[in-house]
Amino acid sequence: MSHQDSQWWRDAVIYQVYPRSYADADGDGVGDIAGIRAHLGHLADLGVDAIWMSPWYPSPMADAGYDVADFRDIDPAFGTLAEAEALVEEAHAAGIRMIVDIVPNHISSEHPWFKAALASPDAPERDYFWFRPGRGPNGDEMPTDWVGEFGGTTWTRVPDGQWYLHLFTPEQPDLNWDHPDVRAEFESILRFWFDRGVDGIRIDSAALLLKDESLPEVRDGEPHPFHDLDGVHDVYRAWRRVADEYGGDRALIGEVWMPEVERFANYLRPDELHAAFNFDFLGCAWDPALMRECVDRTLHAHKAIGAPATWVLSNHDVTRHVTRYGRQDTTFSFDNNLDGTPVDLELGTRRARAAALLSLSLPGATYIYQGEELGLWENENIPPEQYQDPMWGRRGHSRDGCRVPLPWTGDTEPFGFTTGSPWLPQPAEWKDRTVQAQTGDPSSMLELYRSAIARRRTEEGLHQPAMSWIDAGENVLAYTRGDRFACVVNMSGAPIALPDHESLLLASGPLDGDRLPPDTAVWLRLL
Ligand code: GLC
């Protein structure tokens, strides 16, 4: 294996499979591993380098599987461990690497550790969590007023009077990462999956693990009690040592939401994580100046520590970008709920097509969230009584709209996803967005992704580590990679002339004569 291969995470195209919604083989309306295996060909045809699998472990599904009851098995709704192992093998045979999702900040309240902790105030397992007495004369006030990551309070009282901490739902008790058993257990879990041939680990809520044990309130200008504590880096240094035991081609990829780029970059120091999701880019407005600043900021921060940048447009937590880019406010933030504001899906789709060429030609790795390659939009018409996301009751926003089952074939729901009834409703208009309908249609989103990913593999310039901005007019993002490749994204309101070029490699939409229309991107072979 060449050095380039062994550092595959540096420039891979990584596809996120959300197993509940990829494909259902047993007809219960929920996706499963058998469905993924049956549709692995879609990912091979798309040309992705790796799959990131959202949690598939046994779980009461209080948070769609991010409440894990056993990290060494598979939830029966998804299949068996043997099927998971077979999928890893089949993916490898198809040239696709496999990344599993590990959730270290918390476990399910149904996990044996938590059950043991609840059984008695003296159980040693209590120390694996954050059990504390309450405040006030009767101890009936929570130990802190911390606000949870989904909104709401962060402590729940148990019958013996103590409270336990949960930064997410009460079904997700936070682990105490100061305890050596917790550290040892997760290192063992990493080995369990690496021993099964898994190529990488996606680390959920990576910056939250450590807490200030004096439990101060969150105050402006003071160190945060549970976000990005310095000690968290020791955890990832230890994880890196585990990953490195496997020959240096196993990657650790962090979910690190962090506005300060310097703090973010600390996670990517050479002895820590290999990569982290770029939420700065994901949340950035469709705006040339802001986008350019974001790209510069990203590249600068990563270069300083020799880490690869990542480019992420969507995932299972955020509003799909076809919808975001079709709104007047094109940013994304959990604190700025834009649900129900007007959406121009045609505009959003045009921009999403241009964004695909942007994110697939910037230096670094690109992440694709399932359905993005089909141009799916957020389903904003799910009846609230069908919402399953625990965020809905706490923040008044549900993430279910981006988690709707994929449309594969046919003209009506369930579009080949299941033989039963899909766990969330699919928009009727998705009949034009199925894999079947788009295959072979050169103007489809799917064929755009296929062509771009194929070109990315062979294009010399796209293997160069750097990019250089070029001037192609106001409100235009344009850059070269190597001597002969350029990407031009027209974010202005009017058609523009293209820079001199030998040929047009790929366009996100039809040109206007030889001019590039607004919200359209091209890849060019330069003279
Ligand atoms: C991460 C996951 C999200 C989950 C949360 C709690 O942010 O991406 O889906 O709800 O962690 O585990």
Side-chain angles (χ1 to χ4, degrees), residues 63 66 103 106 150 168 172 202 204-205 255 316-317 399 403:
D63 183 18
Y66 283 92
V103 188
H106 45 267
F150 293 161
F168 294 89
Q172 295 165 295
R202 180 260 185 189
D204 188 76
S205 304
E255 187 205 17
H316 67 293
D317 292 329
R399 296 169 295 176
R403 299 175 173 178

Side-chain angles (χ1 to χ4, degrees), residues 500-522:
D500 286 344
H501 58 280
E502 183 185 285
S503 58
L504 182 70
L505 300 173
L506 204 54
S508 71
L511 297 198
D512 177 356
D514 55 4
R515 295 165 76 79
L516 184 66
D519 299 311
T520 308
V522 286

